[in-house]
Amino acid sequence: QLNRKYDKALDDKARTYINMAVDGALRMRQIILDLLEFSRVGRLTNDKELIDLNNILDDVKSMLGKSIEENSVTINCQYLPVLENYKTPLMQVFHNLISNAIKYSRQSVPPVISISCTDQHNKWLFTVADNGIGIEEEYFEKIFIIFQRLHGPQEYSGTGMGLAIVKKIVENLGGKIWLESVIDVGTTFYFTISK
């Protein structure tokens, strides 16, 4: 409002302060929305249903379509199973992991994301691997903690909630999540879902 009403009377310093206030407010809004999402994880109001994870992946690709196209992303996927589980949380897990793989890709290296699943008797083991910037081993646990970011907001957008949400969902579904990573080679996330 200040910017609109008094634009001609403001100097560059005042405009800078206004932009900082607006940017801070937008980031705070996103943090609040992410906190609400985090607090809802585990409150499963719907019944379990038969879910074809190939359809879930198609939905996630559709949601991320613009980003996939703009970044020339290749997503390779082996056939995924049909599970009796909760649709929305599983979609959220794949959405967050794939969008992170796109976001943390290397400059001038088109992202390649490989998704697979292995039947391990009483659980399913999923892998989501990328060829991105990688993560140093000392941060393997830190990235799953709420609000923990490895990069500043100028480098990469986000609030540091995505992987905390993924971990909480996976654990609520009776599984666990971990990763392997090599700097400038890529990262592979592994997670299990109990049958």
Side-chain angles (χ1 to χ4, degrees):
Q1 291 286 16
L2 284 170
N3 201 25
R4 249 185 272 149
K5 190 167 184 175
Y6 300 105
D7 183 43
K8 292 184 171 107
L10 298 173
D11 62 7
D12 287 342
K13 195 172 190 178
R15 283 191 191 90
T16 300
Y17 289 149
I18 288 172
N19 289 338
M20 287 170 58
V22 169
D23 184 55
L26 289 173
R27 270 196 257 151
M28 183 57 69
R29 178 183 185 277
Q30 190 58 53
I31 287 170
I32 290 167
L33 291 173
D34 287 350
L35 268 173
L36 282 170
E37 188 176 334
F38 186 77
S39 71
R40 288 186 192 119
V41 172
R43 294 184 194 160
L44 302 169
T45 54
N46 298 336
D47 292 330
K48 286 184 177 182
E49 57 185 294
L50 279 179
I51 303 160
D52 186 337
L53 288 179
N54 299 286
N55 294 339
I56 293 278
L57 187 59
D58 288 342
D59 290 345
V60 169
K61 286 187 208 175
S62 179
M63 285 187 275
L64 295 172
K66 185 177 179 192
S67 181
I68 288 170
E69 186 179 324
E70 287 174 353
N71 293 287
S72 302
V73 177
T74 301
I75 298 179
N76 301 314
C77 181
Q78 295 178 1
Y79 182 79
L80 297 175
V82 174
L83 306 180
E84 186 174 355
N85 216 307
Y86 302 99
K87 183 176 181 179
T88 302
L90 286 171
M91 186 178 293
Q92 206 168 7
V93 167
F94 282 102
H95 183 278
N96 284 359
L97 291 175
I98 292 169
S99 63
N100 273 3
I102 296 169
K103 183 192 303 186
Y104 297 107
S105 59
R106 290 180 281 157
Q107 280 189 320
S108 44
V109 177
V112 177
I113 303 165
S114 300
I115 301 166
S116 63
C117 179
T118 310
D119 186 340
Q120 295 196 325
H121 306 297
N122 62 346
K123 62 188 172 194
W124 296 101
L125 171 63
F126 295 91
T127 62
V128 179
D130 66 50
N131 63 339
I133 63 172
I135 302 166
E136 292 178 6
E137 189 173 351
E138 64 186 280
Y139 300 116
F140 283 10
E141 294 299 319
K142 181 180 180 181
I143 61 170
F144 293 111
I145 299 170
I146 193 170
F147 295 134
Q148 295 300 310
R149 294 175 46 91
L150 303 184
H151 308 279
Q154 296 79 15
E155 296 173 277
Y156 298 98
S157 63
T159 58
M161 293 287 292
L163 289 175
I165 290 169
V166 166
K167 182 177 185 199
K168 192 172 178 186
I169 290 170
V170 167
E171 289 176 349
N172 280 339
L173 297 177
K176 62 180 189 169
I177 186 166
W178 68 97
L179 69 138
E180 293 175 355
S181 187
V182 177
I183 295 296
D184 292 329
V185 174
T187 301
T188 302
F189 283 92
Y190 301 89
F191 66 94
T192 58
I193 299 291
S194 173
K195 288 186 180 178

